[in-house]
Amino acid sequence: MNIERTEFIVWMERIIERFDILKEQVSNQRSQFIEVDGEQLLDNQDVLQLLKISSRSLQRYRTNKRLPYYSISGKLYYKLSDVHQLIRNSLNSKIT
């Protein structure tokens, strides 16, 4: 299968254009995160996707005080560092 040079260039330009669109979308998603005092806050959906757990499991983590949370205008947020600490604690408990 041979592709002419001009057709190849058109295809490459389309690919680069799509990469630019993806780059912009990723940048927009990053700016959606809320930061307080340089600490990134995650909402329920972010934590559920990050930990790959159910909403009930997340509720249990809150109830058992394994994951600190903050309520702002009726919405729950979690510090990214607290989520990382939960992961470290879970790994350490499995090792010992």
Side-chain angles (χ1 to χ4, degrees):
M1 178 174 151
N2 290 333
I3 300 174
E4 289 189 32
R5 187 173 196 280
T6 54
E7 189 176 347
F8 175 77
I9 291 172
V10 168
W11 277 99
M12 291 308 290
E13 286 174 351
R14 284 173 135 177
I15 291 171
I16 290 171
E17 195 175 301
R18 289 186 182 175
F19 275 129
D20 289 340
I21 292 169
L22 285 172
K23 180 182 174 186
E24 187 176 321
Q25 289 175 346
V26 168
S27 295
N28 288 341
Q29 284 181 339
R30 280 190 176 169
S31 66
Q32 288 177 354
F33 291 122
I34 298 170
E35 286 192 18
V36 175
D37 295 332
E39 184 78 45
Q40 188 174 343
L41 295 181
L42 307 173
D43 66 7
N44 277 334
Q45 281 304 114
D46 295 330
V47 175
L48 292 174
Q49 290 176 350
L50 182 65
L51 297 178
K52 293 181 176 42
I53 59 173
S54 68
S55 56
R56 180 67 182 118
S57 294
L58 184 56
Q59 183 181 353
R60 255 192 306 270
Y61 290 155
R62 287 193 309 264
T63 303
N64 296 339
K65 299 187 184 337
R66 289 183 63 195
L67 183 60
Y69 65 95
Y70 307 91
S71 181
I72 302 171
S73 299
K75 190 169 180 182
L76 300 178
Y77 293 94
Y78 309 84
K79 286 184 180 178
L80 181 59
S81 61
D82 290 338
V83 174
H84 287 166
Q85 186 62 47
L86 173 71
I87 294 169
R88 280 193 288 284
N89 292 344
S90 295
L91 287 173
N92 288 337
S93 68
K94 288 181 181 180
I95 293 172
T96 55

